[in-house]
Amino acid sequence: MGSRVEQSTGDTSETQKLQPVRSDQSKIGTQPKTSQTYKTPKQQPPIPPPIPNLAVFYGFLLVNALAAAFAPIQDCDEVFNYWEPTHYLNRGFGLQTWEYSPEYSIRSWLYIVFHAIIGKSGSIFSSRPTFEFYFIRLALAAICAACETRLFSVICKTFNPRVGFMFGIIMAVSPGMFHASVAYLPSSFSMYTTMLGMAAFMDWRGGLKTSVGMMWFGIGAIVGWPFSGALIVPLLAEDLALSSITGDVSEIIYRLLDGVVRSLIVLALQTAIDAFFYHKVTVVPWNIVSYNVFSGASRGPEIFGTEPWHFYLRNLSLNFNFWFLLALCAGPVLGVQFLLQGRSTTKQSPIRSMVFAAPFYLWLAIFSFQAHKEERFMYPVYPFLALNAAIALHTTLAYIGSSDPAKIVGKIPAKLKLYIVSIVVLLAIDVGVARTIGMYSAYHAPLEVYSPLHELAETEANVCLGKEWYRFPSSYFLPKGMRAKFIKSEFDGLLPGQFNEAKTGFGFFPGTWLIPPGMNDENIEDPGKYTDVEHCSFLIDSHLPSTEHSALEPKYIEDNDTWEEIHCSDFLDSASTNLLGRILWVPDLAIIPTHYRRQWGRHCLLRRRQKPFFLLIPCLIILIVRALAQYKKRPLRRPNSPDPEKRTPTRGSTFKAPQREPGVWTPADFKRPAAPPLPDWDVNKAEPRPYRPFRHGPYHITMGLRTMQWDEWIELDRHYLRFHGDKKRRIEERGQKCCRTAPEAYDGAIELLEELCDYLPQRYPSLFRSTPTGIHNLLTDETFDITTRPLLEDPMATAGRLVQDDLAIMFEKPDNQYYLLAGSILLAGFWRLSDKFGMPLSEIHTSGDVPGFKTKLEKGMMNFFRRIQPAQPVLRNNYFIQVDDNLAWSHSIGSEDPVSEENGGLEKQAEGWSTAEKNKAIEHHYFRSERQSLRRLPRSGGVVFTIRTYFEPITKVAEELGVPGRLASAVRSWGDDVARYKGRERYGEVLLEFLDGKHREQVEKGLVREGEVEEGKYPF
């Protein structure tokens, strides 16, 4: 099949020429036809490896197991992108990076699942999370050892046992392999498959194994790191060259197709598993390449930092010392050998040896010219580096070992040469071991300080990370119930969030497909990722003598009034340590000059101190006195929650705001907390909430505000399609009469639209799905692009299409008044946006004859609008009686378009309760309840109203226990101004007669007691 060029079958001194051999078993069951058949003379049996393969495996396993037990985690990417997702799959919670958001999906779940299965199997032996962590590491150690052993064996048989032996030494003692062998990183996985792929291409016994080699490199590129596929180029080039020489075109095509098919099968499996987790079809390897190569200036790897071109030269010198220099020299050494001797010192020709040396140079060149550099990017090429170094060393030793007196080296005594070579090799080994020990002793603290948490009594607590966030070793080091949280530090990039922990009603692993909040691919900070330090039960902090502290990174360790040390470990202060102490282990002995000793800081686990009880006594006394004072003042009957028909307390108001100029708003550093998905929610089954915001009289005119929880901002139910259809129709028919945004309010309207596109997929993932440009409605199959400018329609119209609420935004002007400058008022029933648009808050209410506004509401309302802050949303409810069944506009009070078409549109038709038909039958009476939320937008400063209307027949409402008597009492308690405003005169007689009758029925049936005042939990 292929021509085996001049090869050595013996040791370094004997060469035998082989004839071209027909040797292809890659296509089973077929014998390809060629113009000639190649035969080989009887070959000498292969020289066995210097050490049995099983012993080699145990040796590699021992070294790798030590790495699994002691190697520090060098890269926070390993923790947040791999350990944390695995922890989520196996233990239900973990930290989530933007790469795992379904919006970007540039990490494959197949790679995670493989490790999660290993970790889960380890739980058979122990349920401790740290055991699972080290069990996975030990499994990686064994896998790496198996791959190293396979490649070692093939090198011994294909090149030379001495090359294999040196390869094994280099792999075993190098600090780079100490970390790479057990790192939970795709680059380490690609390193494993690189070794298997190298072995396949290298081993020609039984025929070329192109397809097998392609498969292994393909698995490394698909499941691991796509860029590792570049390493196959020189190896494939060799096979193509051989095929062109021998004319076996059909055979190479078959092998190439075979390798491609095998790789595509792996890609199909990966795509299927990723589709299961992401709930969409995505090709992760392409996503990785696209982001890193084609994403543009504001995205891509460079935004995470850049390094000079010589970064890898320095890094590899530290991690491989003398071996790296030999690896760089392998090409020149082979070239000189070929030119001077024309023969090889191994079983392979210099040209074929150069083929296996080439990937190292190719990889080093490619990544040296990339601006963003990481140590882990070199992992896939470590086996090639070790092979290059072993070949260069073997070739050099073959030359040095010559006893030919005609050569200079031949005149040097053999023992002297042995001593020199032994000293150099042993020194390289010692330097590697010293660096490995130095790295462990310097940076092992993060793997140790969390251990006391497993012995403490706390079951639920926040363990907070500030400036040490990137040294967090993963949630595997936290007990069940404890969560890692971030507090603000000097770091201003994007931190991980939390995988959504929803369970019931969301199927398997919903955190993998629900869109997480606050993610972006531009490393832009998300304030929502931070927790206030006051909420931290534990804190990880370090103190290094060379570090300057700041307001964001104070000396928590020295704050003994707040924190107590639970456990501290030494941590190298690299800025204060001499270069030698930074790169190698230097013992702390008295004989070592102080200048060369390593300088230490502390890496600590801190626990918040409990305040002594005697310090709490004054506070308790004050609270008790205040509680007693309030108790004396309060009525015997107290509502369970604030009531819009009770006066709102003004003392101790929480709506305090910093002083600012009227009409001037400085964007606030606030991010709405993520809304958890509503469990088991189905848009076709969700019932409307039964708001009944009324009580037995007397009736009080107040704003009636109560605190809103962020996850209840927008309410949706099974009437969604009806509301959506009505809104769509009215937007098409009425346009700016219902949806309008003033130019100066456009940014605020966009901000509201962005907030809705962020909130709705979080709260209702079965109805909405986030997209890179906006949001998709799964029920109506509508997709809204909110990024393209100009927008296709008014942003308030788009916002109105998404929810069942009407929407309005008020903005402050320099006159200290708030104006209605943006609105989507489509289902208001009794008022029109076109009448109120552009009006100040006071005029909106006075023009509508709102009862008691001037005397009881205006001052408090104006103060409230000025003080409300983005973090303080509120709710209120009200209710009306309507005598027709039109949700959008109550036509019983007149036409929605009061200007007559006759007389040139100048005649205004009468409207209001005075035009309504009096005492219509009870079947025409409807109960209209509004749930209003108010919140300030942090960027624009606009105050948003959401007005959700609930509309039901009175005959249905009156069937509820206790409601007829309570509603009748409330309607009778209205003052004259309220009764006039709500139109009681037009329907009161029929309504009250009906309610009284239903109340008597409930009394007679013993469902309620006459005269007994029963109040539900307001506002229900």
Side-chain angles (χ1 to χ4, degrees):
M1 178 200 63
S3 173
R4 295 193 178 187
V5 293
E6 186 178 23
Q7 300 175 340
S8 170
T9 58
D11 203 347
T12 59
S13 59
E14 185 178 356
T15 303
Q16 178 182 10
K17 289 188 178 180
L18 294 181
Q19 297 176 353
V21 176
R22 180 75 209 170
S23 173
D24 187 355
Q25 297 177 4
S26 63
K27 189 171 182 179
I28 300 174
T30 63
Q31 179 63 40
K33 296 179 180 180
T34 58
S35 58
Q36 59 178 325
T37 300
Y38 300 96
K39 297 183 179 179
T40 177
K42 184 177 179 180
Q43 300 185 38
Q44 297 179 8
I47 299 175
I51 306 173
N53 286 341
L54 187 60
V56 172
F57 172 75
Y58 286 141
F60 280 132
L61 181 60
L62 175 61
V63 173
N64 294 348
L66 290 173
F70 299 110
I73 296 178
Q74 291 189 307
D75 196 325
C76 65
D77 215 48
E78 178 180 353
V79 171
F80 297 122
N81 272 329
Y82 306 103
W83 285 112
E84 288 296 311
T86 305
H87 191 273
Y88 170 73
L89 293 188
N90 283 355
R91 297 181 177 266
F93 69 93
L95 297 169
Q96 180 181 22
T97 63
W98 67 270
E99 291 99 319
Y100 283 92
S101 170
E103 294 177 280
Y104 308 107
S105 54
I106 66 170
R107 294 286 181 257
S108 174
W109 283 102
L110 174 60
Y111 181 61
I112 302 300
V113 167
F114 169 69
H115 294 79
I117 292 173
I118 294 174
K120 203 67 176 177
S121 62
S123 63
I124 298 173
F125 307 101
S126 174
S127 61
R128 289 177 67 93
T130 49
F131 180 86
E132 182 176 323
F133 175 88
Y134 286 108
F135 188 83
I136 293 175
R137 268 194 157 193
L138 185 60
L140 294 177
I143 293 171
C144 184
C147 296
E148 290 171 306
T149 303
R150 165 63 178 160
L151 183 55
F152 165 84
S153 175
V154 172
I155 291 173
C156 289
K157 295 174 183 176
T158 305
F159 280 88
N160 186 285
R162 185 186 295 169
V163 174
F165 179 76
M166 294 311 303
F167 168 83
I169 292 294
I170 296 169
M171 293 289 281
V173 303
S174 297
M177 280 303 299
F178 182 74
H179 294 286
S181 60
V182 296
Y184 185 179
L185 287 166
S187 48
S188 282
F189 180 82
S190 295
M191 181 184 72
Y192 304 159
T193 58
T194 291
M195 287 188 273
L196 298 177
M198 287 173 66
F201 276 102
M202 194 180 293
D203 185 7
W204 276 359
R205 292 174 304 157
L208 298 183
K209 300 177 178 63
T210 308
S211 56
V212 177
M214 289 180 64
M215 179 190 71
W216 284 120
F217 278 102
I219 291 174
I222 293 168
V223 182
W225 197 27
F227 301 103
S228 66
L231 292 169
I232 199 177
V233 173
L235 310 181
L236 272 182
E238 181 195 34
D239 276 15
L240 291 172
L242 284 174
S243 298
S244 65
I245 293 172
T246 60
D248 292 337
V249 177
S250 60
E251 293 301 317
I252 188 62
I253 292 176
Y254 173 82
R255 291 195 299 271
L256 291 176
L257 288 177
D258 188 11
V260 169
V261 169
R262 297 184 191 204
S263 299
L264 288 178
I265 292 173
V266 175
L267 180 62
L269 174 63
Q270 180 193 58
T271 303
I273 290 178
D274 287 334
F276 170 79
F277 284 101
Y278 283 125
H279 279 208
K280 69 174 186 179
V281 176
T282 185
V283 181
V284 169
W286 166 248
N287 295 346
I288 296 174
V289 173
S290 176
Y291 179 80
N292 284 278
V293 179
F294 306 111
S295 56
S298 64
R299 296 174 175 83
E302 285 79 9
I303 65 175
F304 300 100
T306 60
E307 298 290 344
W309 66 270
H310 49 77
F311 172 84
Y312 289 125
L313 298 181
R314 293 182 286 111
N315 179 264
L316 292 173
S317 296
L318 291 174
N319 286 329
F320 287 89
N321 55 77
F322 177 63
W323 312 121
F324 173 56
L325 179 62
L326 282 175
L328 287 176
C329 295
V333 166
L334 289 171
V336 170
Q337 178 199 48
F338 181 73
L339 291 174
L340 297 182
Q341 297 182 348
R343 63 184 180 86
S344 175
T345 57
T346 71
K347 300 176 186 178
Q348 302 299 322
S349 69
I351 294 178
R352 184 147 203 257
S353 297
M354 187 66 76
V355 168
F356 286 95
F360 169 70
Y361 296 108
L362 175 66
W363 190 264
L364 185 61
I366 291 174
F367 282 90
S368 291
F369 285 100
Q370 302 303 310
H372 179 64
K373 298 178 176 68
E374 302 278 359
E375 179 177 315
R376 67 178 185 272
F377 294 172
M378 287 292 109
Y379 289 0
V381 83
Y382 281 0
F384 283 106
L385 186 156
L387 177 61
N388 278 24
I391 291 174
L393 180 61
H394 171 74
T395 304
T396 303
L397 291 178
Y399 175 75
I400 293 175
S402 173
S403 57
D404 186 353
K407 299 178 181 179
I408 297 177
V409 294
K411 299 177 181 180
I412 302 174
K415 287 186 177 181
L416 178 59
K417 289 189 285 187
L418 177 62
Y419 291 150
I420 294 174
V421 169
S422 298
I423 289 173
V424 172
V425 171
L426 290 176
L427 181 62
I429 293 173
D430 290 343
V431 169
V433 173
R435 176 163 174 80
T436 299
I437 297 174
M439 293 295 289
Y440 164 74
S441 60
Y443 304 114
H444 69 283
L447 293 177
E448 294 184 355
V449 297
Y450 294 86
S451 55
L453 291 175
H454 296 271
E455 312 301 329
L456 298 175
E458 287 87 345
T459 56
E460 294 187 3
N462 290 337
V463 180
C464 293
L465 309 164
K467 64 178 182 287
E468 296 299 319
W469 67 270
Y470 60 95
R471 293 193 175 107
F472 177 56
S474 82
S475 296
Y476 277 105
F477 288 79
L478 302 180
K480 183 178 181 181
M482 291 191 182
R483 298 291 190 271
K485 301 290 183 180
F486 299 107
I487 58 175
K488 188 71 178 85
S489 65
E490 296 292 347
F491 177 74
D492 60 357
L494 181 65
L495 288 169
Q498 302 279 341
F499 277 105
N500 199 300
E501 297 177 29
K503 293 180 175 64
T504 306
F506 291 93
F508 295 103
F509 311 113
T512 64
W513 59 268
L514 294 172
I515 304 293
M519 296 298 187
N520 63 80
D521 59 353
E522 300 180 68
N523 200 26
I524 298 173
E525 184 178 32
D526 173 28
K529 301 291 192 297
Y530 297 114
T531 296
D532 192 293
V533 71
E534 295 299 322
H535 299 155
C536 302
S537 302
F538 298 90
L539 178 68
I540 299 296
D541 192 38
S542 63
H543 173 67
L544 304 177
S546 64
T547 301
E548 293 185 4
H549 297 274
S550 65
L552 291 177
E553 297 180 355
K555 297 181 180 179
Y556 291 111
I557 291 178
E558 297 181 3
D559 183 7
N560 295 322
D561 292 336
T562 306
W563 303 98
E564 62 174 323
E565 294 182 8
I566 300 299
H567 182 74
C568 290
S569 292
D570 290 340
F571 196 89
L572 184 70
D573 184 1
S574 58
S576 300
T577 301
N578 181 271
L579 175 63
L580 183 64
R582 293 201 302 269
I583 64 176
L584 299 176
W585 174 67
V586 176
D588 292 323
L589 301 176
I591 60 173
I592 304 295
T594 303
H595 176 67
Y596 292 103
R597 294 183 192 175
R598 299 200 288 179
Q599 306 301 312
W600 298 96
R602 294 188 302 157
H603 189 80
C604 296
L605 169 66
L606 309 177
R607 178 166 57 185
R608 183 178 293 279
R609 290 185 183 275
Q610 300 297 323
K611 296 293 183 182
F613 182 75
F614 68 86
L615 294 179
L616 299 177
I617 293 177
C619 299
L620 292 174
I621 293 174
I622 293 173
L623 291 174
I624 292 171
V625 170
R626 288 183 176 178
L628 290 174
Q630 292 295 326
Y631 179 80
K632 292 178 180 179
K633 293 179 181 180
R634 72 175 187 173
L636 292 178
R637 177 171 49 84
R638 181 183 180 187
N640 292 324
S641 61
D643 179 358
E645 298 183 7
K646 305 291 183 183
R647 291 184 174 84
T648 303
T650 57
R651 295 185 62 188
S653 173
T654 59
F655 299 107
K656 295 181 180 180
Q659 295 295 321
R660 57 183 176 81
E661 292 295 323
V664 177
W665 174 258
T666 301
D669 186 15
F670 171 78
K671 173 71 175 179
R672 174 187 56 77
L678 199 59
D680 299 318
W681 188 84
D682 186 336
V683 69
N684 298 307
K685 299 177 181 178
E687 292 295 331
R689 303 196 74 185
Y691 288 105
R692 306 293 181 255
F694 48 81
R695 292 187 179 278
H696 290 82
Y699 180 88
H700 299 286
I701 299 175
T702 69
M703 289 180 65
L705 303 175
R706 66 184 186 277
T707 300
M708 183 188 84
Q709 301 300 316
W710 280 110
D711 57 3
E712 60 183 21
W713 180 33
I714 300 295
E715 293 182 351
L716 304 177
D717 56 47
R718 62 183 178 86
H719 297 305
Y720 180 83
L721 277 180
R722 173 193 168 191
F723 279 66
H724 182 274
D726 287 347
K727 285 188 168 191
K728 181 179 179 182
R729 172 179 53 81
R730 287 174 64 76
I731 290 172
E732 294 171 355
E733 294 175 355
R734 304 186 64 80
Q736 284 201 350
K737 292 181 180 180
C738 292
C739 298
R740 185 177 175 186
T741 302
E744 62 268 34
Y746 197 82
D747 181 62
I750 291 292
E751 184 179 7
L752 171 61
L753 183 56
E754 291 171 348
E755 282 283 296
L756 289 171
C757 290
D758 187 42
Y759 172 89
L760 293 172
Q762 295 172 10
R763 188 63 170 164
Y764 303 102
S766 61
L767 180 57
F768 294 101
R769 180 74 53 82
S770 287
T771 68
T773 59
I775 193 170
H776 179 71
N777 188 318
L778 301 174
L779 182 64
T780 63
D781 199 28
E782 295 171 303
T783 300
F784 299 96
D785 182 350
I786 67 170
T787 60
T788 303
R789 300 292 185 271
L791 293 177
L792 297 178
E793 63 179 351
D794 190 297
M796 295 303 293
T798 303
R801 294 178 189 271
L802 296 175
V803 296
Q804 291 174 251
D805 306 60
D806 283 334
L807 306 166
I809 314 180
M810 311 291 295
F811 291 89
E812 187 184 38
K813 290 189 175 183
D815 62 0
N816 223 8
Q817 291 278 342
Y818 276 80
Y819 290 78
L820 176 54
L821 299 181
S824 175
I825 308 301
L826 296 158
L827 307 173
F830 293 104
W831 66 283
R832 296 173 288 253
L833 177 64
S834 55
D835 292 341
K836 309 294 184 182
F837 191 83
M839 281 187 179
L841 187 65
S842 297
E843 187 178 351
I844 289 173
H845 288 81
T846 55
S847 64
D849 296 323
V850 174
F853 178 75
K854 283 292 183 182
T855 59
K856 299 180 179 180
L857 295 177
E858 184 175 29
K859 182 178 179 180
M861 189 178 296
M862 297 305 296
N863 287 335
F864 165 78
F865 268 76
R866 294 187 188 108
R867 294 173 178 172
I868 185 173
Q869 294 298 294
Q872 298 167 333
V874 297
L875 291 172
R876 66 182 302 271
N877 289 75
N878 60 22
Y879 66 98
F880 300 91
I881 304 298
Q882 186 173 320
V883 290
D884 59 70
D885 61 355
N886 195 331
L887 173 65
W889 176 260
S890 178
H891 55 76
S892 59
I893 64 169
S895 171
E896 187 174 8
D897 296 302
V899 178
S900 173
E901 296 293 335
E902 302 175 3
N903 301 323
L906 299 177
E907 180 182 349
K908 185 173 182 178
Q909 299 176 354
E911 62 176 280
W913 278 110
S914 61
T915 66
E917 180 181 344
K918 188 174 182 178
N919 291 332
K920 294 176 71 172
I922 193 63
E923 288 76 18
H924 298 285
H925 289 56
Y926 285 79
F927 179 74
R928 186 182 188 105
S929 172
E930 290 181 350
R931 173 192 183 270
Q932 301 175 2
S933 76
L934 295 89
R935 57 170 293 198
R936 189 184 290 278
L937 297 172
R939 187 174 74 217
S940 63
V943 177
V944 175
F945 277 85
T946 67
I947 309 162
R948 172 62 202 281
T949 300
Y950 294 84
F951 197 63
E952 300 173 82
I954 283 289
T955 53
K956 178 182 177 183
V957 173
E959 296 297 327
E960 297 171 6
L961 189 63
V963 166
R966 179 154 56 102
L967 180 56
S969 174
V971 172
R972 286 190 172 96
S973 71
W974 295 346
D976 291 342
D977 54 350
V978 176
R980 186 167 50 253
Y981 176 71
K982 294 192 179 233
R984 186 178 66 187
E985 186 267 339
R986 311 308 291 178
Y987 55 75
E989 295 178 14
V990 173
L991 174 66
L992 292 173
E993 179 182 356
F994 173 75
L995 294 176
D996 291 342
K998 298 300 291 185
H999 176 65
R1000 283 194 300 271
E1001 288 181 13
Q1002 293 184 357
V1003 171
E1004 292 170 358
K1005 293 179 180 179
L1007 301 176
V1008 297
R1009 296 180 182 179
E1010 186 66 53
E1012 182 179 39
V1013 176
E1014 292 187 3
E1015 305 290 2
K1017 184 176 181 182
Y1018 186 86
F1020 300 101

